[in-house]
Amino acid sequence: MIFYMRLSRYFLPILKETPHDAQIASHRLMLRAGMIHQTTSGIYSWLPLGLKVLKNIENIIEDGQNSIGCNRITMPTIQPAHLWQESGRYDDYGKEMLRMKDRHDRDMLYGPTHEEVITDLARGCIKSYKHLPQILYQIHWKFRDEIRPRFGVMRAREFYMKDGYSFDIDAKSARETYKKIYENYLTIFKNMGLKAIPVKADTGAIGGDLSHEFQIVAPTGESTIYYDEAFDTISDANRNFDTLNNLYAAADEMHSEENCPTPKDKLKSARGIEIGHIFYFGKKYSQSMNFTVIGQDGKPIHPEMGSYGIGVSRLVGAIIEANHDDNGIIWPESVAPFHISLINAKPSDEATTKLSDDLYAKLTHSGIEVLYDDTASRAGAKFATADIIGSPYHIIVGRDATENGLYELKDRRTKDRTSLTFSQIMEKFTAKTVAK
Ligand code: P5A
């Protein structure tokens, strides 16, 4: 579905002042660009511009996961405590779990993750080895009562996650599945304009013996990572499980200087933002929650499981951290809320307005997502707004259009400006749409 909008009708509460409590660029810019609004600590409403980006990211993830045969479902956000008592995690999870009672005094909780719910679902629906392997996923809201929510959507209490769960008949098949999802993640992140580094990670509260975090390097990242400098130069074509997993890359808690096989001068240390985390934990939940399927020999067997997360709402912030300048956001095309910001630089002039309206109609009819600044604001304010919002292209309709038939096209990333005729603009943008 393509989406276009006149700014005069859009709900875009741009902030003129820089919010002083926001410490990192993405948090500041998301507030300034009217993408989110804080309801209370670590809990946000998503406004139209933010929601559009969130959905674009969700769509890239959904397309990626579906392309390897994963099945999307939705599970409840509110879970019964008894499933967690069965797995043995109810007491361990601690204060990060938001607990509540229903009207019958039954213990409930707001799901911080869904290993228990999916294991319960699977034991009800998957009965035979013939139905394996299977990968189920959802994209949904989670709640973790983080001790220090900060950096806006980066470490929130309520956040949007893609969580997937795999079921295999044996360890060999489970490792194949893990590998397939690892590589699928590299593609998904590439499709958002990000180069993720998979680092060996601790399995923490989820449990298990094999785990990778997907990190992007950013000075404002909360994690410290160590990795072989070869990660920076390896070509996209060679970014697969076997090659990358043979290179050293570890999260802080997994790194030890003495045991690191990469020589010091080839080892890089950097701050990273964790955008995904995958786990292979074998029979941990299938055993504790007594989930069996009938194996080929007719005997019951506990399936091998893994879980696979992507921080969908965190990615909105992470992409901004990797793509901004002093003036605002610079969206990669694949996640941009609008492809073009169209600016009527002289809204009081009838001829300029007519040309702007015409171009808006033509572009949107061709399926291009345009945010049309048709408001009465002065041109300078419009340019500043367009820069903050960060559409990849800006088209300015001013005197040069009415007098010479020329429209100014600005590339938001390079800041290059060119003057194009109406048909050159249509050619440039419609050729792109067709090529998609
Ligand atoms: C994997 C899927 C899990 O929860 N269970 C289901 C496993 N993994 S995880 O690492 O704990 O979380 C997955 C990703 O979610 C993002 N994330 C967050 N985003 C915003 N605010 C938070 N407080 C938050 N906590 C986790 C991260 O991107 C993480 O990799």
Side-chain angles (χ1 to χ4, degrees):
M1 191 185 67
I2 85 135
F3 185 75
Y4 46 88
M5 193 41 112
R6 283 175 181 264
L7 192 57
S8 57
R9 292 183 37 220
Y10 200 40
F11 183 61
L12 185 75
I14 294 272
L15 297 184
K16 294 232 159 51
E17 308 295 319
T18 301
H20 48 257
D21 51 340
Q23 297 158 20
I24 61 170
S26 60
H27 188 194
R28 276 196 298 274
L29 287 168
M30 286 182 76
L31 291 168
R32 285 196 64 201
M35 295 175 68
I36 50 170
H37 180 263
Q38 183 176 320
T39 301
T40 186
S41 168
I43 301 184
Y44 292 87
S45 297
W46 289 74
L47 311 185
L49 192 77
L51 183 62
K52 185 74 196 329
V53 178
L54 192 67
K55 291 287 157 190
N56 287 347
I57 293 173
E58 172 174 347
N59 290 341
I60 293 174
I61 297 171
E62 181 170 11
D63 286 349
Q65 292 268 281
N66 292 351
S67 76
I68 56 162
C70 306
N71 284 289
R72 183 165 177 177
I73 60 171
T74 292
M75 290 179 276
T77 50
I78 306 293
Q79 310 179 6
H82 68 81
L83 291 178
W84 288 68
Q85 282 151 353
E86 249 190 275
S87 75
R89 282 208 294 178
Y90 190 60
D91 295 329
D92 296 351
Y93 213 92
K95 287 199 167 203
E96 264 188 29
M97 180 186 278
L98 182 65
R99 299 159 203 252
M100 63 194 99
K101 280 191 190 291
D102 71 7
R103 65 197 300 160
H104 305 292
D105 216 29
R106 281 187 288 246
D107 288 316
M108 311 290 283
L109 56 107
Y110 195 115
T113 177
H114 282 67
E115 280 79 7
E116 283 76 0
V117 172
I118 200 98
T119 307
D120 175 58
L121 183 158
R123 73 182 166 189
C125 304
I126 305 177
K127 303 286 184 188
S128 158
Y129 73 93
K130 289 182 195 149
H131 302 136
L132 301 181
Q134 182 61 266
I135 307 166
L136 303 174
Y137 75 100
Q138 66 169 349
I139 303 177
H140 211 353
W141 295 95
K142 301 269 187 273
F143 194 93
R144 293 182 187 172
D145 208 350
E146 298 277 351
I147 188 160
R148 273 190 78 200
R150 59 183 189 151
F151 300 156
V153 301
M154 294 284 219
R155 181 161 297 278
R157 294 200 293 163
E158 191 179 47
F159 60 98
Y160 207 40
M161 191 202 284
K162 189 289 292 185
D163 47 323
Y165 305 87
S166 65
F167 307 92
D168 285 85
I169 197 67
D170 56 30
K172 183 167 174 279
S173 169
R175 280 174 193 274
E176 293 291 314
T177 299
Y178 185 91
K179 211 165 127 171
K180 185 160 87 171
I181 296 175
Y182 174 111
E183 290 185 348
N184 186 235
Y185 272 33
L186 295 174
T187 310
I188 287 173
F189 295 133
K190 189 171 106 212
N191 290 344
M192 296 172 193
L194 297 174
K195 202 167 231 180
I197 302 180
V199 305
K200 293 202 175 65
D202 194 6
T203 52
I206 308 288
D209 67 351
L210 177 61
S211 178
H212 288 89
E213 284 168 8
F214 289 76
Q215 296 271 355
I216 58 163
V217 171
T220 50
E222 287 192 283
S223 332
T224 303
I225 56 171
Y226 296 86
Y227 61 97
D228 193 310
E229 65 176 14
F231 271 98
D232 288 340
T233 47
I234 199 159
S235 71
D236 276 351
N238 289 326
R239 284 170 67 84
N240 55 49
F241 182 85
D242 291 329
T243 317
L244 296 187
N245 203 41
N246 275 331
L247 290 173
Y248 183 80
D252 201 9
E253 66 279 3
M254 299 293 279
H255 175 71
S256 101
E257 235 170 69
E258 305 87 73
N259 301 331
C260 178
T262 303
K264 259 208 173 111
D265 61 324
K266 295 204 167 7
L267 186 72
K268 282 193 152 180
S269 136
R271 306 292 291 175
I273 303 173
E274 181 197 315
I275 52 175
H277 198 162
I278 60 178
F279 304 82
Y280 166 53
F281 44 71
K283 297 176 191 288
K284 179 175 152 87
Y285 297 90
S286 59
Q287 233 152 25
S288 59
M289 296 183 68
N290 198 24
F291 163 36
T292 58
V293 298
I294 297 301
Q296 215 157 358
D297 56 3
K299 292 193 185 127
I301 178 167
H302 295 294
E304 297 276 328
M305 291 174 54
S307 73
Y308 311 86
I310 296 181
V312 187
S313 48
R314 176 179 286 182
L315 268 167
V316 179
I319 291 171
I320 296 174
E321 286 300 319
N323 297 277
H324 70 273
D325 62 14
D326 289 346
N327 300 328
I329 304 167
I330 309 171
W331 291 113
E333 294 197 14
S334 60
V335 299
F338 294 96
H339 199 66
I340 295 174
S341 282
L342 174 63
I343 294 167
N344 178 352
K346 282 177 78 187
S348 56
D349 178 59
E350 229 173 85
T352 316
T353 301
K354 166 120 196 6
L355 289 182
S356 305
D357 286 353
D358 285 351
L359 186 56
Y360 178 57
K362 267 276 165 42
L363 287 168
T364 54
H365 277 129
S366 304
I368 296 155
E369 301 197 301
V370 182
L371 179 61
Y372 174 22
D373 192 341
D374 61 339
T375 63
S377 309
R378 45 181 194 87
K382 290 188 175 187
F383 299 152
T385 298
D387 274 349
I388 290 180
I389 293 172
S391 308
Y393 294 99
H394 302 170
I395 299 175
I396 298 127
V397 186
R399 187 185 294 160
D400 215 14
T402 47
E403 289 180 1
N404 309 311
L406 289 175
Y407 300 77
E408 187 174 54
L409 176 72
K410 174 180 157 186
D411 182 314
R412 175 67 183 87
R413 193 174 290 275
T414 62
K415 298 198 174 88
D416 285 347
R417 291 164 187 275
T418 38
S419 288
L420 298 178
T421 63
F422 187 89
S423 51
Q424 283 171 327
I425 288 199
M426 291 312 296
E427 202 178 310
K428 175 174 169 72
F429 289 102
T430 49
K432 252 200 170 132
T433 316
V434 172
K436 257 189 187 171

